[in-house]
Amino acid sequence: MSSRDQTAAAILASVAMACDGALVGVALAFVAAQTWAKYHRSSAALGKIRRAPSARVADLREILLSSDEESSSSGSPSMSSGDARLVVVRGEVQTRWSPGSKNSGALVSQGSGERAVIVQRTSTCLYSEWRGIFGWSIDLHALFAKTWKEQHSSSLRTVPFVLVDDGYWPHREYVNVTLEGSTHPLPLTTVYHQLLPVQATTYTFIQAMFGHGYPVALLDEEKILPVGKEITAVGLCSWNGGVLEMKSSDDLPCFLSDLSKSEMEADLTLNVNILLWSGIFLGVLSMGILGYAVRRNWRRFKDWRSRRRLRSESSPSEGEEPNDAEEEESGEVPDGALCVICLTRQRRCAFIPCGHRVCCFPCAAAVKRDSSPKCPVCRQDAPNFVRIFDS
């Protein structure tokens, strides 16, 4: 690690442990709050999927008609999203072609030649880093610059497709799948994966010589959603011009998936449990660190305030009698007669009610002004003291 990296790491460590770890506690509290928010969203999505009916494509019309009859009989208005209802449908992917043109309307994969409704091609540039010939190592700014660099390009092609029940085509019943506005991951299958090496150039040699990242290979991938694949759609089903249409819901973590409804529930249940216990652990840990930091800093503040009072009262106050200062400054203090707090002046005051004569007048006044005055010897409450004069 270079000297610049060591300095940056030391600064980050000192900032993280500032105020006895208060910043670490705040960061953990923020992460815990984010975890709890994800937990509530996942719990709500799990409840919606559990309550959503699971049906075949041929049964969707009956489900929507029964929901419309229930809403009209109860007098309640229909759902706001175009009389849509959340359903779980499992069916086979087919393109929307006419019965006489079965082979038209589908995309063809360049890697495998399969017919598909979604084709995604991705090109990723892979980088390599090593220690240069001058012994220079990778520093933090080069590492961050690498992560910020655009390393891949992607293209996505889609055609309109439908879900049908298993069997022959054309089907009488089908549901259109609309991907507009959906940001959920797609159940794509990888059909092409090739790693192409990048030829070295003069610029590549210069980058390697100074220890910077340089491209070594180009990874080409192609993923498709093939025609005939059986998938599950979880979304809002509604009528659109007499045709069933399925749209994604932003409240759910997925729209199209390879999993069945029971497998989705099991996966979401595991995710909810992980988020729950992670939120509890991070919340307790952050509260413990913040509580420790507050307690330590409060004690430091009280000690600083006490030392400041003692320093301000070490010199004779304006209202103190001159003969007292002369008496304490003149002569030697006998053994065992020094104030137990400042160890510079003679004991002159006795605390009430314990009666211990262990402090000088300034130190006894400082103890009395404390929020909870206690005798320095017996630690008994001493709200007052009395000045004692030798005859």
Side-chain angles (χ1 to χ4, degrees):
M1 183 181 291
S2 62
S3 59
R4 181 165 52 181
D5 291 348
Q6 294 178 358
T7 304
I11 293 175
L12 290 176
S14 60
V15 170
M17 297 306 297
C19 300
D20 293 318
L23 294 181
V24 176
V26 172
L28 288 176
F30 177 76
V31 175
Q34 295 292 325
T35 304
W36 278 107
K38 292 181 180 179
Y39 164 74
H40 287 294
R41 289 196 297 267
S42 300
S43 299
L46 178 59
K48 290 182 179 180
I49 293 179
R50 283 177 175 174
R51 293 189 299 268
S54 179
R56 300 185 303 118
V57 177
D59 300 331
L60 287 178
R61 293 180 180 271
E62 298 180 2
I63 293 176
L64 293 180
L65 290 175
S66 61
S67 64
D68 293 340
E69 291 177 358
E70 291 177 359
S71 61
S72 61
S73 61
S74 60
S76 59
S78 301
M79 298 182 65
S80 59
S81 58
D83 297 338
R85 182 173 181 180
L86 184 66
V87 294
V88 180
V89 180
R90 188 165 183 86
E92 183 180 304
V93 176
Q94 293 290 345
T95 57
R96 286 189 292 182
W97 64 76
S98 60
S101 56
K102 183 176 180 180
N103 295 327
S104 63
L107 301 173
V108 179
S109 171
Q110 298 180 4
S112 62
E114 298 182 45
R115 298 170 57 249
V117 295
I118 299 177
V119 177
Q120 181 182 18
R121 293 189 61 89
T122 305
S123 298
T124 305
C125 187
L126 304 180
Y127 286 79
S128 177
E129 294 177 351
W130 67 300
R131 193 179 296 271
I133 61 176
F134 297 109
W136 298 344
S137 59
I138 303 301
D139 51 4
L140 291 178
H141 82 279
L143 180 62
F144 290 137
K146 174 189 172 183
T147 57
W148 292 335
K149 191 183 301 180
E150 184 68 26
Q151 297 182 0
H152 69 277
S153 60
S154 179
S155 62
L156 183 68
R157 294 185 299 159
T158 63
V159 295
F161 65 96
V162 298
L163 290 182
V164 299
D165 290 328
D166 297 337
Y168 65 92
W169 176 255
H171 286 260
R172 183 177 180 182
E173 297 292 343
Y174 63 91
V175 55
N176 289 329
V177 179
T178 303
L179 295 178
E180 296 180 1
S182 175
T183 58
H184 299 89
L186 299 173
L188 303 179
T189 304
T190 302
V191 295
Y192 178 75
H193 184 92
Q194 187 176 7
L195 189 65
L196 302 175
V198 176
Q199 295 182 357
T201 60
T202 305
Y203 181 69
T204 303
F205 174 75
I206 296 175
Q207 287 179 312
M209 183 177 61
F210 288 97
H212 295 289
Y214 56 93
V216 294
L218 185 65
L219 179 63
D220 282 339
E221 288 182 317
E222 186 179 39
K223 298 180 180 181
I224 65 172
L225 181 59
V227 174
K229 182 178 181 179
E230 189 176 1
I231 62 173
T232 303
V234 184
L236 299 174
C237 186
S238 61
W239 299 99
N240 186 8
V243 178
L244 293 176
E245 187 178 51
M246 181 76 71
K247 295 182 179 180
S248 63
S249 175
D250 296 335
D251 299 333
L252 300 180
C254 62
F255 177 38
L256 304 177
S257 175
D258 295 325
L259 305 177
S260 61
K261 180 181 178 181
S262 59
E263 292 173 342
M264 287 183 187
E265 292 179 2
D267 187 50
L268 277 177
T269 301
L270 178 61
N271 189 23
V272 166
N273 291 332
I274 292 175
L275 291 174
L276 173 63
W277 292 107
S278 299
I280 293 175
F281 173 75
L282 293 174
V284 172
L285 183 61
S286 62
M287 291 178 62
I289 294 177
L290 290 176
Y292 170 79
V294 170
R295 183 180 179 185
R296 284 291 302 271
N297 286 279
W298 176 248
R299 285 187 174 180
R300 288 180 179 178
F301 173 72
K302 290 179 66 177
D303 294 341
W304 171 80
R305 186 175 59 180
S306 299
R307 290 193 300 268
R308 184 178 179 182
R309 287 179 179 176
L310 291 177
R311 285 196 300 265
S312 62
E313 295 169 357
S314 59
S315 59
S317 59
E318 297 179 357
E320 191 176 2
E321 299 177 3
N323 55 354
D324 294 338
E326 294 175 1
E327 181 182 358
E328 293 178 356
E329 293 176 358
S330 62
E332 295 182 357
V333 180
D335 295 338
L338 287 176
C339 174
V340 297
I341 296 180
C342 64
L343 300 177
T344 56
R345 292 182 291 272
Q346 188 175 357
R347 303 178 182 180
R348 293 293 186 184
C349 300
F351 290 101
I352 299 175
C354 63
H356 287 121
R357 182 182 176 186
V358 291
C359 292
C360 61
F361 180 80
C363 294
V367 171
K368 180 181 177 181
R369 285 192 294 267
D370 198 1
S371 58
S372 58
K374 296 181 182 297
C375 175
V377 177
C378 64
R379 306 305 299 170
Q380 184 180 353
D381 292 338
N384 206 344
F385 67 92
V386 60
R387 181 76 177 271
I388 298 177
F389 298 91
D390 296 333
S391 56

